[in-house]
Amino acid sequence: RKSVVRITTGSQALDELLGGGIETLCITEAFGEFRSGKTQLAHTLCVSTQLPIHMHGGNGKVAYIDTEGTFRPERIVPIAERFGMDANAVLDNIIYARAYTYEHQYNLLLGLAAKMAEEPFRLLIVDSVIALFRVDFSGRGELAERQQKLAQMLSRLTKIAEEFNVAVYITNQVIADPGGGMFITDPKKPAGGHVLAHAATIRLMLRKGKGEQRVCKIFDAPNLPEGEHVFQVTSGGIMD
Ligand code: ADP
Ligand code: MG
């Protein structure tokens, strides 16, 4: 039996919300508007995953699948320094790939599984998990096929999480929710429908606050504590 590892987000408030950090063996999703901090949380996890266990890390390597071209190695450097780690060593332990179509994204996952069988990985990032699906299946009549392929992708991610004791961190977009109710202004919901809702164990809803502040809430988990937690997005990564 594999035992779960919790990896710090860099923010104690966020970690508390998560029960200690993002967990291996399952999928953690973050969704929110542009600049809400989804990618900077990914950058932070790239570093914190490499910390030793006693420092709330995962003592493992990171795989990063980037569908939007927003990964910035130079953004890793100040985060590594903040955690007192050597930036070059940290970068060497991040396997990075840019995906250009949903099929490419899926094939990259197949290739990663082979790598993970050989080396100790603790984190897999897919930023964003859905963007290419929304491009590749943009026609109105293609929704059913999109959801079917998305389900396939997510089931592959779950399998990787369980087989290699890896934390899977995926990001998602928000879309307009016309069913949000007449009293809610500008209602939004995560993309991906029930397929994504079913696959993600923890769903983090991020939004912008004042300045560097961001607000995080657990979305749609009746058994988890309610309430909003505030964190900061800085060049040193996510922090309180
Ligand atoms: P998202 O992925 O949700 O669109 P990002 O994580 O990319 O959001 O951005 C979150 C915030 O981080 C933005 O306000 C952006 O201005 C800020 N940001 C981007 N790059 C840096 C950086 N190098 N240092 C500090 N903050 C940055
Ligand atoms: Mg982003």
Side-chain angles (χ1 to χ4, degrees):
R1 241 193 94 81
K2 301 177 180 85
S3 57
V4 59
V5 177
R6 290 180 185 82
I7 300 163
T8 180
T9 60
S11 152
Q12 268 186 31
L14 258 190
D15 285 354
E16 265 167 41
L17 190 67
L18 291 164
I22 72 154
E23 293 189 357
T24 59
L25 301 168
C26 73
I27 298 180
T28 303
E29 171 198 356
F31 68 89
E33 57 195 309
F34 179 58
R35 295 196 144 200
S36 58
K38 305 179 295 292
T39 298
Q40 191 64 344
L41 178 51
H43 282 91
T44 309
L45 291 169
C46 278
V47 179
S48 64
T49 296
Q50 301 186 44
L51 288 167
I53 302 283
H54 73 269
M55 292 177 76
H56 310 290
N59 193 29
K61 298 187 182 220
V62 177
Y64 199 120
I65 297 181
D66 185 3
T67 70
E68 297 179 315
T70 52
F71 176 73
R72 294 281 175 277
E74 64 273 19
R75 275 173 81 169
I76 295 296
V77 177
I79 303 173
E81 284 166 359
R82 169 217 171 166
F83 284 104
M85 301 175 87
D86 178 70
N88 286 324
V90 166
L91 283 166
D92 279 346
N93 284 324
I94 303 169
I95 308 284
Y96 172 86
R98 174 92 158 88
Y100 292 96
T101 67
Y102 84 91
E103 283 161 310
H104 186 198
Q105 188 176 334
Y106 189 78
N107 290 333
L108 285 170
L109 291 181
L110 299 181
L112 269 179
K115 259 206 135 31
M116 287 183 179
E118 290 164 11
E119 295 170 71
F121 281 79
R122 274 299 159 264
L123 175 68
L124 167 58
I125 292 165
V126 188
D127 182 23
S128 115
V129 79
I130 199 152
L132 294 173
F133 287 87
R134 300 192 72 204
V135 173
D136 296 343
F137 301 95
S138 54
R140 242 194 159 336
E142 293 179 302
L143 190 60
E145 194 191 348
R146 185 194 91 175
Q147 289 303 89
Q148 189 219 328
K149 299 287 186 195
L150 181 62
Q152 229 171 58
M153 174 95 54
L154 292 165
S155 115
R156 174 60 53 182
L157 289 173
T158 301
K159 194 156 181 281
I160 289 175
E162 290 172 356
E163 188 172 351
F164 302 109
N165 195 8
V166 155
V168 174
Y169 171 74
I170 62 177
T171 66
N172 187 13
Q173 300 161 321
V174 281
I175 54 173
D177 178 14
M182 63 200 290
F183 300 112
I184 304 170
T185 54
D186 194 22
K188 298 217 172 72
K189 64 177 180 185
H194 74 273
V195 165
L196 199 38
H198 177 76
T201 310
I202 301 273
R203 314 192 83 189
L204 300 174
M205 182 164 65
L206 307 185
R207 65 178 166 81
K208 283 182 276 197
K210 285 190 189 137
E212 315 269 81
Q213 279 192 358
R214 298 293 182 273
V215 183
C216 179
K217 258 176 104 163
I218 303 265
F219 182 72
D220 204 18
N223 54 330
L224 281 167
E226 276 277 324
E228 299 190 331
H229 289 236
V230 177
F231 63 94
Q232 319 276 334
V233 179
T234 76
S235 55
I238 299 298
M239 53 181 78
D240 284 309

